[in-house]
Amino acid sequence: MQKKLSTYKNFFLISSPTIHEDLLWDFSILFVGLTVVYFASVFFFRNKISSKRKKVKEKKKQFSPMISEFLFFESDAPKDEKSNYVNLKIEIRELIKDRLHRKVLTEILLDLRKDVSGETQKRLFGLYQDLGLHKDAFNKLKSWRWQIVSKGIYELAQMQVAESYGFIKRFINDKRGTIRKQAEIAIITLNTEGLNYFLDTTEYRISEWQQLKLLDVIRNQDDFQPPRFKAWLISSNKHVVLFALRLIKYYNQNDAFASITELVKHRNDQIKKEAISCIKEFHVQEALPTLKIVFWKSSVDIKIAILDAIAELGTPSDLNFLRSIDKKVSNFSVRSKALSSINAIAPESVIPTRGIVQLKGNQTPKDIVIKDLEDKEHQIEQEVEDVIEELDNDEELKPVDKIEEKGKTILSEEMDTSFDLDEQALQRDQVTAEEEPIEESELPSAIDFAKETNQNEELPHEVSVEENDELFEVDEADQIEAADINETTPTLNFGFLPIVVNADETQDSVNEEKDASLNIEEEEQDSTINAMYEAYEHSPPTSMDHPLPIEVKEEIEINDEFDPIEFAFLPLVVENETIGEEKEILDMEQNEPSIQQANERKNIPETSDLTMDSELNGGDTPFFDFLPFVTESEEVESEDAMPINEFTDSTAPNTEEALNEVKTDITADMKPKETGEDSIEWPIEENDMPFSPVLRFASFEDVEDNISEDTKSISQETLDILSSLPKPKFYDGETMITMRLLDDIEELGDQREIPLLKELRSKSNQVVIRNRIEQIMQQFKTREPKTFSKDTIASINEEFKPFSVFEDLFRTCDIEAKLILMDEVVAVGDEKELGFLKALTNDPDKDLREKAIKVLEALDSRLFRENLSFDPSETFITDAPNSKTDQGKDYNSLFKQLLSIPTKIIDKIHG
Amino acid sequence: MEKKTLLLAEDDELLASLLNYRLEKGGYNVTHCRDGKEMKKALSIRVPDIIVSDIMMPYFSGMELIGFVRKELNSKVPIIIISSAGNEENVLNAFEMGANDFISKPVSPTELLVRVARELKKT
């Protein structure tokens, strides 16, 4: 109890803090107030937003039919529709004054742009710009807020506003990523040159996603002509290089192998990887050495990529490199890839070795005899041996490598090891070699051997040296075995081999020059192969039953310039009588192509026999390359024959057509036209008759006959027409002039010409003229006096005003030259220049104007002085008004006036 | 001549409005449904001469609709499907279900008109 009391002894010291109730209330009210404000604002804004959304939705509903109307309006619509369209236009013009409406319209058009295609989409773009909505987008570009600018760019790009390209491309290197990316897409969308500009100018990173988007834009562009992307492989922006590589791969632009190969050495792994991918894609074999060099200093990923490429492009010569990787590289993935690459190049080269149970060590109980198991063991052992043997045989590089690197063994020894033979077998082979012809399979293997030797020489030195030491670890064991065989077996005679020449010198070289240098060995080897081909080539024609005698080999002359690869046709062991002929043809082909061609032409009939022979022999001989010539000759013959057929065939319908044409032409010409009397033409004389269709006729006589018949048939008609035409009247010289004058008077004159006509009548003796004058006078009595209006005269004067040479010169001169020319006007000008100078006094140029006034005065005074020296009456006779004639009659007639007008004007009036 | 009736099922109102306008202008009597429910209701009242339907729609997809028309209504009315680009699988399914033709978005209204006319001609 005491304890309990002591526990609560100090209890009174603990007390709750004293908080004023008022303060609590104040806080409560504050928080409640804040909550109310918060919720009120949430409700307010929510309502505002939703009401705005509702409003926008309503507006969209309201505007969408209008937009549909605009999009599908056709100019040939009925009147009601047209009037409706006009009303809509007016309505929409009013609507777009409001900002919200413009926003809604933009939204509608942007939404529809995604959903529609074809002509409707094009109209949509047009409508967007017609409504001036693109101006809002342009304004957005000026905003300081990135989201607004980005939206503006997006709108302009989506609605294909081409003129915005110049504005948007400024944003390509904008520091704000969103704007930059939007601008990149926009300029590629808006202009076909946009991609070039972008790749040329961009300084920033192009993200993977952006690259995909850009590629998508490019892919969907109509008529996009991809540029040569290799141009950007040298860009200083590594992202551009990477993108260019991807585009090169995408568009299969295989014209940049050198650059791509060089990019394998790039320090950026992505570029390196992409370049390797391109190499693999385009099968760039030339890049293999570079790949091998780059391999050792690359990351694991790149190493795997390189190995992948080698697996795709590699040849057996690359196997050593791959094996060296297996030996040297510790990374499991790389080694695995290397092995898989080896198997990709040479399938089943690498067989499983790990986890394989050694069957030899397994002791089966003696009492249990499983025959099958024994057989299987035996079979497996045999298979393993076969595989090893195969590998030895396949990799014919080994002997040469060995010679190159170690110089210890010679070719013949290696050949010994490569063939597991006993003496009997060899002897047996020797016998059979004498009897059997050369096997086809032996020759290509020899060629391959030579080829692979060359390829091996091209391997990078440091790699091949390293590799060979390791690679021949196994081979050395083989060598020991081979050496054992050599020890046990007596010296072999290699004459049985069809490959090895049986000459004494060759045999000696094999035996004596074991320590000779590599070059000598190679030469011998080549010469051996050459000799073999030579032997085959120079062999006399033999049948399959009579193999090549060995003695022939001794007569072989080794030709150093001989290229065995050229004789790839050799495997065709076509052995019958035709060989001799074929060889002759081959010789001709090689030596004298012209003779060959001549022979081909000469032997055309024989070739068919040869063809038959070739067919009989399997038809697989290259000597019959000339055969197409036979076909050609046939074609030539047929071509020669064709034109005749063609001519006869084609002329048959054409003759009829041409005749019809001639007929219609003639009848059309002969027939009087329906247009009236004025249009009747004189009949065409025979000489003038168009006769071109005859050219298409088979024979000229046929056409003539046809035409003459037609002409006869219509001649009667023509005569009828001719009889109805007025007969021509011919006047002598003077009468004709008078008649023409009278015609003019009749056409232009009036009553005032009557005195003149009377005078002419009194002077004339000819009845025709007098009758004509009478006729005209009768006409004039009834006709109203004729007058020229002022305008007509002014226009005539304007048109035929005197021509100034200076005026023409002035057209091409500058002002300085004009001022100089004006001085010349004073010196050499005449009345014709007066008008021109007067016109110049109104020239806009002040200097010219002033100069013109001075020159005009000077010229005027000069002309005045000159005129004083002439008799004015001589110059101005006709111009004197109311002048009297000798007979005192008033000739101030219209005709007189006309005479004062230059002849040009009269011609003009006459038309 | 009496106008052919066409049932258009499209949830995008803007596109529906546009297609509706074009089809009506092309001489069809168009009934527009915003979703599968409306569509079923309209079909139970009267089967039109041709149906143009979007694949993706609220309540009932275009596929279900084809099944409804072919199996429940046992009707051979031509059905044209509107599908998004790259939705080949759906299109194949639609054909298997009994759709007659399809048109992919973005839609060319003129092309749709031609397809509708062709399908009606077949019937």
Side-chain angles (χ1 to χ4, degrees):
Chain A
M1 188 68 190
Q2 266 188 341
K3 201 178 177 180
K4 199 177 178 181
L5 282 171
S6 64
T7 308
Y8 295 102
K9 188 172 68 180
N10 298 320
F11 189 74
F12 65 94
L13 292 173
I14 302 167
S15 60
S16 60
T18 52
I19 302 168
H20 294 289
E21 259 183 39
D22 294 343
L23 190 67
L24 277 174
W25 277 113
D26 290 344
F27 273 120
S28 301
I29 290 162
L30 177 71
F31 283 118
V32 169
L34 281 172
T35 312
V36 170
V37 169
Y38 170 75
F39 279 105
S41 59
V42 165
F43 281 117
F44 173 75
F45 285 110
R46 189 176 171 275
N47 283 337
K48 197 183 171 186
I49 290 165
S50 61
S51 67
K52 196 180 174 185
R53 196 176 291 163
K54 210 175 170 182
K55 207 175 171 183
V56 167
K57 204 177 174 182
E58 278 171 14
K59 291 283 173 197
K60 276 187 179 179
K61 264 187 187 175
Q62 186 192 339
F63 294 156
S64 56
M66 289 167 86
I67 286 167
S68 301
E69 189 95 12
F70 275 109
L71 290 178
F72 300 117
F73 176 75
E74 279 159 18
S75 52
D76 57 346
K79 265 188 178 180
D80 301 348
E81 212 171 298
K82 273 186 181 174
S83 63
N84 189 28
Y85 177 74
V86 173
N87 289 335
L88 269 177
K89 256 190 166 179
I90 295 161
E91 197 180 336
I92 211 158
R93 292 279 165 213
E94 287 299 314
L95 284 170
I96 55 172
K97 284 175 185 168
D98 186 64
R99 200 179 162 188
L100 177 73
H101 290 163
R102 281 206 306 276
K103 197 183 165 189
V104 173
L105 278 169
T106 307
E107 272 181 31
I108 292 172
L109 294 178
L110 280 169
D111 282 349
L112 280 178
R113 186 240 175 274
K114 290 176 208 157
D115 292 331
V116 295
S117 63
E119 188 61 29
T120 316
Q121 198 183 55
K122 282 179 190 170
R123 286 189 176 197
L124 200 79
F125 297 151
L127 183 65
Y128 177 79
Q129 291 190 48
D130 285 347
L131 296 174
L133 300 173
H134 62 298
K135 286 174 191 166
D136 288 344
F138 276 117
N139 287 331
K140 283 176 188 170
L141 298 184
K142 293 172 192 166
S143 173
W144 59 269
R145 287 191 292 175
W146 62 266
Q147 63 271 34
I148 304 285
V149 178
S150 179
K151 209 173 173 183
I153 295 171
Y154 173 77
E155 264 180 38
L156 291 166
Q158 287 295 302
M159 301 314 286
Q160 299 278 338
V161 184
E163 67 229 43
S164 65
Y165 174 76
F167 294 92
I168 294 172
K169 72 178 186 183
R170 288 181 305 172
F171 295 101
I172 278 289
N173 283 320
D174 197 282
K175 61 186 176 185
R176 293 162 291 184
T178 314
I179 293 175
R180 197 171 61 237
K181 285 172 188 171
Q182 203 67 259
E184 286 165 6
I185 293 166
I187 66 158
I188 292 172
T189 312
L190 291 170
N191 198 322
T192 46
E193 289 298 310
L195 181 64
N196 298 8
Y197 180 82
F198 161 63
L199 291 172
D200 281 336
T201 50
T202 188
E203 294 167 5
Y204 287 87
R205 179 174 174 268
I206 314 165
S207 67
E208 300 280 316
W209 178 245
Q210 184 68 1
Q211 285 182 27
L212 282 171
K213 279 172 89 177
L214 292 173
L215 184 63
D216 190 51
V217 173
I218 296 166
R219 275 194 312 131
N220 292 322
Q221 265 186 335
D222 297 331
D223 308 326
F224 174 72
Q225 292 294 322
R228 308 313 294 176
F229 292 109
K230 67 177 177 181
W232 290 284
L233 293 180
I234 50 166
S235 173
S236 54
N237 185 344
K238 65 182 179 187
H239 300 283
V240 170
V241 177
L242 188 66
F243 190 41
L245 274 171
R246 283 171 178 165
L247 290 168
I248 282 171
K249 199 164 79 173
Y250 183 79
Y251 286 103
N252 285 321
Q253 294 182 350
N254 53 358
D255 58 347
F257 291 162
S259 303
I260 293 169
T261 310
E262 204 59 26
L263 283 171
V264 174
K265 298 171 192 166
H266 205 280
R267 61 167 160 244
N268 184 286
D269 269 6
Q270 257 187 315
I271 291 174
K272 216 186 251 185
K273 208 170 182 179
E274 204 56 50
I276 294 164
S277 171
C278 283
I279 286 166
K280 194 179 151 192
E281 183 84 12
F282 298 130
H283 280 78
V284 190
Q285 294 269 354
E286 298 82 18
L288 278 172
T290 315
L291 288 176
K292 287 177 188 173
I293 293 163
V294 169
F295 178 84
W296 302 103
K297 285 184 179 178
S298 301
S299 64
V300 173
D301 283 347
I302 300 299
K303 277 178 180 170
I304 289 170
I306 289 172
L307 289 171
D308 203 32
I310 291 173
E312 185 93 7
L313 314 174
T315 56
S317 62
D318 301 311
L319 290 173
N320 293 337
F321 171 75
L322 295 169
R323 284 190 184 121
S324 70
I325 292 165
D326 183 35
K327 294 269 189 294
K328 284 195 166 182
V329 177
S330 57
N331 187 289
F332 173 77
S333 309
V334 177
R335 283 177 65 193
S336 298
K337 190 72 196 170
L339 291 174
S340 71
S341 298
I342 290 170
N343 272 349
I345 294 167
E348 296 289 315
S349 298
V350 183
I351 52 170
T353 52
R354 295 198 178 177
I356 303 294
V357 180
Q358 291 294 321
L359 295 173
K360 270 186 179 176
N362 287 349
Q363 293 291 326
T364 48
K366 284 180 182 175
D367 54 330
I368 302 166
V369 181
I370 305 166
K371 202 184 173 186
D372 288 349
L373 192 67
E374 277 183 350
D375 288 346
K376 275 185 182 174
E377 275 181 33
H378 184 71
Q379 199 182 334
I380 289 161
E381 278 174 16
Q382 191 62 40
E383 278 176 7
V384 169
E385 278 173 13
D386 287 346
V387 167
I388 292 163
E389 199 176 307
E390 251 180 53
L391 279 171
D392 289 343
N393 289 336
D394 285 347
E395 292 171 20
E396 287 171 1
L397 298 170
K398 287 174 189 171
V400 180
D401 290 342
K402 198 170 279 182
I403 290 161
E404 283 177 355
E405 295 301 319
K406 299 181 179 178
K408 288 176 185 174
T409 53
I410 60 165
L411 179 65
S412 59
E413 283 177 345
E414 286 304 313
M415 289 177 79
D416 285 345
T417 58
S418 61
F419 297 104
D420 188 16
L421 302 164
D422 58 21
E423 193 180 349
Q424 287 176 346
L426 289 170
Q427 282 171 355
R428 191 175 60 244
D429 285 349
Q430 193 178 5
V431 173
T432 51
E434 285 174 8
E435 290 172 1
E436 287 171 6
I438 296 165
E439 292 283 328
E440 275 184 31
S441 57
E442 287 169 3
L443 299 169
S445 66
I447 296 163
D448 292 344
F449 183 86
K451 279 183 185 173
E452 288 190 11
T453 311
N454 292 332
Q455 281 170 358
N456 200 43
E457 282 170 8
E458 287 167 14
L459 287 168
H461 183 67
E462 61 170 272
V463 176
S464 65
V465 171
E466 286 170 5
E467 287 161 12
N468 289 335
D469 290 334
E470 291 168 5
L471 275 168
F472 285 97
E473 281 174 10
V474 182
D475 296 339
E476 276 169 8
D478 291 338
Q479 280 173 32
I480 294 159
E481 284 175 25
D484 293 339
I485 293 162
N486 280 334
E487 278 170 19
T488 53
T489 52
T491 313
L492 298 170
N493 181 9
F494 289 95
F496 71 92
L497 284 169
I499 303 166
V500 181
V501 180
N502 198 16
D504 293 332
E505 53 181 33
T506 319
Q507 185 62 36
D508 292 338
S509 69
V510 171
N511 294 328
E512 291 168 14
E513 297 176 16
K514 283 188 176 182
D515 299 323
S517 65
L518 177 65
N519 292 333
I520 296 164
E521 287 294 332
E522 280 178 351
E523 276 174 21
E524 277 179 9
Q525 191 186 339
D526 287 341
S527 66
T528 312
I529 296 160
N530 291 341
M532 184 184 71
Y533 287 113
E534 283 288 320
Y536 183 72
E537 270 302 296
H538 289 91
S539 62
T542 54
S543 68
M544 296 295 276
D545 302 319
H546 298 89
L548 189 70
I550 280 180
E551 292 79 49
V552 177
K553 293 176 187 173
E554 290 176 4
E555 296 167 17
I556 290 162
E557 285 177 21
I558 295 165
N559 183 9
D560 290 333
E561 290 173 11
F562 187 82
D563 185 10
I565 294 160
E566 284 179 11
F567 287 82
F569 61 87
L570 278 175
L572 295 162
V573 190
V574 182
E575 192 62 57
N576 55 18
E577 284 97 8
T578 56
I579 281 181
E581 291 169 24
E582 287 166 7
K583 273 180 75 64
E584 276 177 28
I585 292 160
L586 178 71
D587 290 341
M588 282 181 217
E589 279 176 359
Q590 285 175 343
N591 299 329
E592 289 179 22
S594 58
I595 295 169
Q596 176 218 341
Q597 283 176 7
N599 283 340
E600 281 169 357
R601 286 190 199 99
K602 214 190 289 175
N603 297 331
I604 285 165
E606 290 168 26
T607 48
S608 58
D609 298 331
L610 286 166
T611 321
M612 281 176 70
D613 283 348
S614 75
E615 281 169 9
L616 287 168
N617 294 329
D620 192 20
T621 160
F623 300 119
F624 299 130
D625 289 343
F626 60 86
L627 278 175
F629 192 83
V630 179
T631 322
E632 274 176 21
S633 66
E634 283 169 5
E635 279 171 6
V636 169
E637 280 173 19
S638 63
E639 275 172 18
D640 288 337
M642 270 302 285
I644 301 161
N645 296 332
E646 275 176 7
F647 183 75
T648 48
D649 292 345
S650 60
T651 47
N654 277 353
T655 315
E656 276 181 28
E657 279 176 27
L659 271 169
N660 289 334
E661 260 183 54
V662 172
K663 274 183 191 175
T664 47
D665 285 350
I666 292 163
T667 46
D669 288 337
M670 294 297 183
K671 231 189 268 177
K673 288 176 185 171
E674 294 171 9
T675 45
E677 233 179 32
D678 296 341
S679 62
I680 293 173
E681 290 172 8
W682 293 100
I684 299 160
E685 286 180 18
E686 277 182 21
N687 293 341
D688 298 329
M689 197 175 285
F691 218 63
S692 57
V694 176
L695 293 173
R696 298 205 297 271
F697 279 47
S699 69
F700 193 79
E701 285 76 14
D702 293 347
V703 181
E704 261 192 334
D705 292 339
N706 281 318
I707 293 166
S708 60
E709 277 173 27
D710 288 333
T711 318
K712 277 175 198 168
S713 66
I714 57 170
S715 59
Q716 192 54 45
E717 261 182 69
T718 316
L719 286 170
D720 295 342
I721 295 160
L722 282 173
S723 62
S724 67
L725 292 171
K727 284 178 183 174
K729 293 169 186 174
F730 300 104
Y731 301 114
D732 61 340
E734 255 189 53
T735 319
M736 195 177 75
I737 292 164
T738 318
M739 288 302 279
R740 276 179 65 181
L741 178 68
L742 288 170
D743 285 344
D744 288 342
I745 291 169
E746 185 189 16
E747 192 178 341
L748 301 166
D750 56 16
Q751 295 164 344
R752 287 170 291 181
E753 284 6 280
I754 291 172
L756 175 68
L757 289 169
K758 280 179 181 170
E759 192 183 335
L760 284 170
R761 190 179 58 184
S762 62
K763 278 182 182 176
S764 177
N765 301 324
Q766 290 190 28
V767 184
V768 186
I769 294 171
R770 289 165 73 95
N771 288 341
R772 179 83 177 121
I773 290 168
E774 283 293 334
Q775 191 190 350
I776 294 165
M777 281 168 65
Q778 284 296 326
Q779 279 182 21
F780 283 171
K781 279 175 187 170
T782 54
R783 196 191 284 179
E784 286 290 317
K786 209 169 195 177
T787 50
F788 284 109
S789 68
K790 280 183 181 177
D791 290 342
T792 316
I793 292 163
S795 69
I796 291 165
N797 285 335
E798 178 61 30
E799 198 169 343
F800 297 98
K801 68 179 180 182
F803 174 72
S804 167
V805 183
F806 291 96
E807 192 175 359
D808 200 33
L809 288 169
F810 262 58
R811 285 190 194 122
T812 52
C813 291
D814 58 353
I815 290 173
E816 204 174 329
K818 281 176 185 174
L819 292 169
I820 295 163
L821 271 175
M822 282 220 260
D823 292 331
E824 296 301 313
V825 174
V826 181
V828 296
D830 56 15
E831 299 95 348
K832 284 178 253 172
E833 270 72 51
L834 290 173
F836 168 55
L837 287 169
K838 275 176 191 166
L840 278 179
T841 52
N842 296 321
D843 196 273
D845 188 80
K846 194 187 168 189
D847 292 343
L848 269 181
R849 212 164 46 231
E850 285 173 0
K851 182 88 179 176
I853 292 163
K854 282 177 191 171
V855 169
L856 183 64
E857 282 171 4
L859 181 66
D860 216 9
S861 61
R862 185 176 69 86
L863 289 173
F864 180 68
R865 280 197 307 275
E866 282 175 359
N867 285 338
L868 283 176
S869 59
F870 291 100
D871 182 6
S873 59
E874 279 178 22
T875 325
F876 306 108
I877 298 168
T878 54
D879 288 350
N882 303 321
S883 62
K884 307 264 175 168
T885 59
D886 300 344
Q887 292 150 355
K889 288 175 185 173
D890 185 7
Y891 282 165
N892 186 17
S893 63
L894 178 63
F895 187 62
K896 280 274 178 187
Q897 279 178 31
L898 283 169
L899 282 176
S900 67
I901 300 170
T903 48
K904 267 186 185 178
I905 302 170
I906 293 164
D907 288 344
K908 170 94 178 165
I909 294 161
H910 283 202
Chain B
M1 207 179 88
E2 200 182 337
K3 281 184 176 179
K4 296 269 182 188
T5 51
L6 187 147
L7 192 68
L8 175 69
E10 171 63 63
D11 56 330
D12 183 349
E13 293 214 3
L14 272 175
L15 181 63
S17 158
L18 195 83
L19 294 179
N20 196 346
Y21 182 87
R22 187 73 188 95
L23 290 165
E24 275 188 350
K25 211 179 171 190
Y28 299 97
N29 193 0
V30 183
T31 311
H32 173 225
C33 305
R34 286 171 191 81
D35 53 54
K37 262 186 188 175
E38 274 186 35
M39 185 98 173
K40 263 190 176 177
K41 209 175 175 182
L43 281 169
S44 56
I45 296 165
R46 191 196 166 186
V47 179
D49 293 320
I50 189 164
I51 299 169
V52 177
S53 169
D54 190 4
I55 280 190
M56 305 300 282
M57 273 193 307
Y59 303 112
F60 294 107
S61 72
M63 312 293 279
E64 286 171 311
L65 197 92
I66 298 166
F68 175 75
V69 172
R70 293 283 182 254
K71 286 171 188 168
E72 290 188 34
L73 296 179
N74 203 17
S75 167
K76 287 182 181 176
V77 59
I79 301 172
I80 297 175
I81 288 293
I82 301 173
S83 77
S84 311
N87 212 348
E88 286 79 15
E89 205 179 319
N90 273 344
V91 173
L92 286 174
N93 287 337
F95 274 119
E96 277 175 18
M97 299 272 290
N100 295 68
D101 199 357
F102 90 100
I103 188 163
S104 64
K105 282 182 187 176
V107 181
S108 166
T110 319
E111 190 190 336
L112 179 67
L113 206 66
V114 172
R115 282 176 190 271
V116 167
R118 197 183 63 176
E119 286 305 318
L120 284 172
K121 218 175 196 179
K122 280 183 194 172
T123 56

